[in-house]
Amino acid sequence: MYSKKMIYPLVGVIIFLVNGCFLFEEEKKQPDVATVRTNSYTLPAGYFLYVTVRNLTTETKNVAVWGKNLSTPLTPTKSFGGGFSLTPSLSTPIMGLPPSFQYHIPTGNWRASFSSSKATFTFGSSPPINYGENPSNWTIGTTKLNFWVVNIQANKYSNITATLRAIGTNMTTGASPSSVAGGVAYIFVDDNDWGTRVTPTIVTQIATNFNGANGIYAKLTNILGGYEDGGGPGGDGGVDANKNIYILLHDIQDGYSGSGGFVGGYYAPINDFPTNYQPPSTTFSSMKQMFVIDAYPTLTSYPGFGISTLIHEAQHMINFGQKYFIGGVQEETWLNEACSMMVEDILDEFVPSADRVYVNNSRMSYFVSEPERGLLRWSDDDDVLYDYGKAYAYLAFVARNTTPRIVKEIVSGVGRNKTGGAAVEAALSAVGAGKTFKESIRLWQKANIYNTTSLSSSWTGYRTNASLSGYELRALDLNSYNNDRSSTGPVLYYFRSAKNVFTFDPYSTFIFKGVPTSGSTVTVYISDDPQIEVEAIITNL
């Protein structure tokens, strides 16, 4: 541990000494006539140079970066080959719909326009049907309803018939209970999947985990601080005047045939709208507060992942109810997905350890493989798995360094009428973080270098956090996760000796790592764009 500040003759650079490593923070300056900014650094023996290059704008930037007298340390670095094998049998689970369906939302808020004549848009009753109640003497195992579902492979909606298999935690075939204590959901199963892809055992697992005073729904609404449209003690039941949630178990037609990608589940906002509100956009609404869990392969092969998906999709349903119907906004995809994965993290008690979002072979492995991906980016192909990874990693980092309560502030608190970075910034302020949205991103990316997990550390890693009573966020060691270069830990970039141009997505950070080829002084060249932030860290980590 060094005990005094050490001054190096580096032009245009402020030097700090932080916990045994040198932190070089480039001074802000006006653009000059030069097209390249040049900085030289002197490294003590055994130290590495990390240069973080950040684009914290909403524009895509092309930035040239290269170095002189810099060689590649023996750590995972970009442009090297190597295989990528997470869990081969669960390699590409996606939760959600393609953009063409995900954003198929009518304009305006039907509640604001038609609240005085709601009865003409619903098949429910007034007052609303309360949680656990049987709306029309339904009989478990006999009552059938039709649902509109998304056929992803054929790019269309399809109508299926499903049978009621549970009311709350009552799964007794032939029963017609007037109400079920602690019940909050009806479980319907596609008739084509019953007895083959979906069994009574699976229905029992979902019903007992989701319902009850200590079930997923009760804990999730407590964590998020709000309900789906029409839900909660004072809710009117939403589009069908029924407070109960419909969980549809159905083999999502996503092209899965034994290998490759599949969709684990989805929430379709269109179901919250009356069919005749804005046809044809609302024609395929099932007019229910509902979400779909995939029967094959999710429930047949990965029932624990199915439980995690329950949590994930329920957050989307509540998020839409809070932000769209109350806040008047629709959350940006990256943050909506981050919130869903964050509540999976918080409620990991319901999920077997192998299926938790932060474990190896899941979200964190995708993040450490491409930590430079822009935070706002959301792909419409298999690359979206890397977007899930970085979205989860960002909010997991922030929650562990503030409080899990930040998710509540984003969804139903100060961020309810805001989206994206503005929602996060308001939430950071509400929980007393003392950081802006951009500051949190800078610290998040530098955690790829420091990777500390001790309770005494702050904003330098994914530390344990138990500040929300009853829930503990576990520490995450980035070096414990497989990456796509047949190694572990974050995959960084090395300095090329010739000019090399990199494309920076909005809100992306590239981290370059190197050591002197000879001697101790190295030089780094970077395009002189005043909107591109550059920060150099010299450390023995």
Side-chain angles (χ1 to χ4, degrees):
M1 177 69 69
Y2 293 90
S3 59
K4 61 180 181 179
K5 182 186 293 185
M6 303 180 67
I7 304 299
Y8 282 70
L10 303 176
V11 177
V13 173
I14 303 172
I15 305 175
F16 299 97
L17 182 61
V18 180
N19 293 332
C21 70
F22 297 102
L23 173 63
F24 299 79
E25 186 168 330
E26 193 153 321
E27 290 181 327
K28 296 184 182 302
K29 59 181 181 178
Q30 296 299 317
D32 54 32
V33 294
T35 58
V36 174
R37 42 182 155 177
T38 303
N39 278 311
S40 294
Y41 307 98
T42 300
L43 280 64
Y47 277 59
F48 301 98
L49 171 67
Y50 295 87
V51 175
T52 64
V53 185
R54 292 184 289 262
N55 173 24
L56 299 186
T57 75
T58 56
E59 301 175 7
T60 299
K61 299 276 190 178
N62 291 319
V63 181
V65 181
W66 71 103
K68 181 180 179 181
N69 194 37
L70 280 159
S71 60
T72 306
L74 298 177
T75 56
T77 49
K78 290 289 183 183
S79 85
F80 280 56
F84 188 32
S85 178
L86 295 179
T87 303
S89 60
L90 184 55
S91 56
T92 49
I94 297 173
M95 289 178 266
L97 293 171
S100 58
F101 292 98
Q102 186 176 356
Y103 303 110
H104 191 192
I105 298 172
T107 58
N109 183 336
W110 74 269
R111 284 180 161 282
S113 303
F114 294 91
S115 58
S116 61
S117 56
K118 180 185 172 188
T120 64
F121 290 91
T122 67
F123 57 84
S125 61
S126 181
I129 296 167
N130 212 344
Y131 293 111
E133 290 183 351
N134 188 344
S136 302
N137 298 318
W138 286 353
T139 302
I140 296 171
T142 301
T143 298
K144 296 179 183 292
L145 293 179
N146 289 333
F147 294 83
W148 286 107
V149 296
V150 177
N151 186 323
I152 297 172
Q153 190 173 22
N155 194 35
K156 67 177 185 179
Y157 289 96
S158 300
N159 195 268
I160 62 101
T161 301
T163 300
L164 177 68
R165 298 297 173 182
I167 298 176
T169 53
N170 190 326
M171 297 149 281
T172 304
T173 300
S176 182
S178 59
S179 64
V180 177
V184 294
Y186 308 131
I187 298 177
F188 281 80
V189 180
D190 188 334
D191 288 350
N192 292 319
D193 299 315
W194 180 246
T196 53
R197 299 180 179 92
V198 181
T199 64
T201 299
I202 290 175
V203 171
T204 298
Q205 184 182 30
I206 291 176
T208 54
N209 276 284
F210 195 79
N211 294 278
N214 294 309
I216 288 170
Y217 182 79
K219 293 193 173 186
L220 181 61
T221 52
N222 179 52
I223 290 167
L224 294 178
Y227 300 85
E228 70 286 350
D229 182 39
D236 63 4
V239 68
D240 63 346
N242 188 333
K243 293 184 182 181
N244 291 271
I245 310 303
Y246 291 76
I247 300 174
L248 176 63
L249 311 184
H250 153 74
D251 179 19
I252 298 171
Q253 300 302 294
D254 50 13
Y256 182 82
S257 58
S259 62
F262 63 93
V263 175
Y266 65 83
Y267 160 72
I270 192 175
N271 290 318
D272 285 349
F273 293 83
T275 54
N276 56 344
Y277 170 55
Q278 280 186 14
S281 64
T282 55
T283 300
F284 301 106
S285 169
S286 293
M287 293 205 302
K288 299 171 179 66
Q289 281 70 46
M290 62 172 286
F291 52 86
V292 180
I293 303 298
D294 177 53
Y296 173 72
T298 302
L299 295 178
T300 55
S301 301
Y302 317 108
F305 175 63
I307 297 299
S308 196
T309 307
L310 276 177
I311 301 169
H312 186 106
E313 301 307 334
Q315 189 286 138
H316 285 318
M317 178 180 66
I318 294 169
N319 191 299
F320 193 73
Q322 291 294 306
K323 293 216 159 191
Y324 184 88
F325 285 109
I326 300 176
V329 298
Q330 185 178 346
E331 186 56 271
E332 296 176 18
T333 299
W334 73 269
L335 185 54
N336 198 341
E337 295 294 344
C339 287
S340 278
M341 290 180 283
M342 197 60 235
V343 292
E344 289 181 75
D345 189 347
I346 297 170
L347 293 176
D348 68 359
E349 65 193 89
F350 291 98
V351 183
S353 60
D355 297 317
R356 293 169 180 168
V357 296
Y358 51 77
V359 297
N360 242 350
N361 313 318
S362 191
R363 305 306 183 197
M364 292 301 289
S365 286
Y366 283 103
F367 168 64
V368 297
S369 296
E370 291 193 10
E372 75 279 5
R373 290 178 77 88
L375 183 59
L376 314 186
R377 175 179 177 179
W378 206 260
S379 301
D380 58 2
D381 54 25
D382 282 351
D383 276 356
V384 74
L385 294 164
Y386 294 92
D387 295 325
Y388 275 105
K390 50 85 177 169
Y392 164 69
Y394 168 72
L395 199 52
F397 172 78
V398 170
R400 281 165 170 78
N401 286 281
T402 56
T403 168
R405 188 169 63 86
I406 196 167
V407 185
K408 176 180 179 180
E409 293 296 341
I410 291 171
V411 175
S412 69
V414 295
R416 181 160 59 186
N417 63 347
K418 302 175 178 64
T419 65
V424 175
E425 183 136 334
L428 285 166
S429 177
V431 300
K435 309 292 181 188
T436 65
F437 175 53
K438 287 186 177 181
E439 286 171 338
S440 71
I441 293 176
R442 296 182 186 108
L443 294 165
W444 168 52
Q445 283 293 342
K446 287 193 288 187
N448 287 315
I449 300 170
Y450 296 120
N451 190 32
T452 58
T453 58
S454 64
L455 279 172
S456 60
S457 63
S458 181
W459 296 98
T460 54
Y462 298 73
R463 65 181 185 176
T464 297
N465 188 309
S467 62
L468 185 61
S469 178
Y471 306 97
E472 179 181 3
L473 296 177
R474 307 183 187 194
L476 307 180
D477 178 2
L478 296 181
N479 290 327
S480 69
Y481 298 107
N482 294 332
N483 59 49
D484 62 2
R485 295 298 187 272
S486 298
S487 185
T488 61
V491 178
L492 307 181
Y493 281 75
Y494 66 85
F495 293 96
R496 278 72 165 175
S497 58
K499 182 177 181 180
N500 216 289
V501 177
F502 300 86
T503 299
F504 284 63
D505 293 330
Y507 285 83
S508 64
T509 300
F510 283 61
I511 301 178
F512 297 83
K513 181 179 182 180
V515 294
T517 302
S518 60
S520 60
T521 301
V522 299
T523 304
V524 176
Y525 306 91
I526 301 175
S527 301
D528 191 17
D529 183 333
Q531 293 184 311
I532 294 296
E533 299 180 5
V534 178
E535 184 176 343
I537 298 171
I538 297 177
T539 175
N540 57 2
L541 296 175

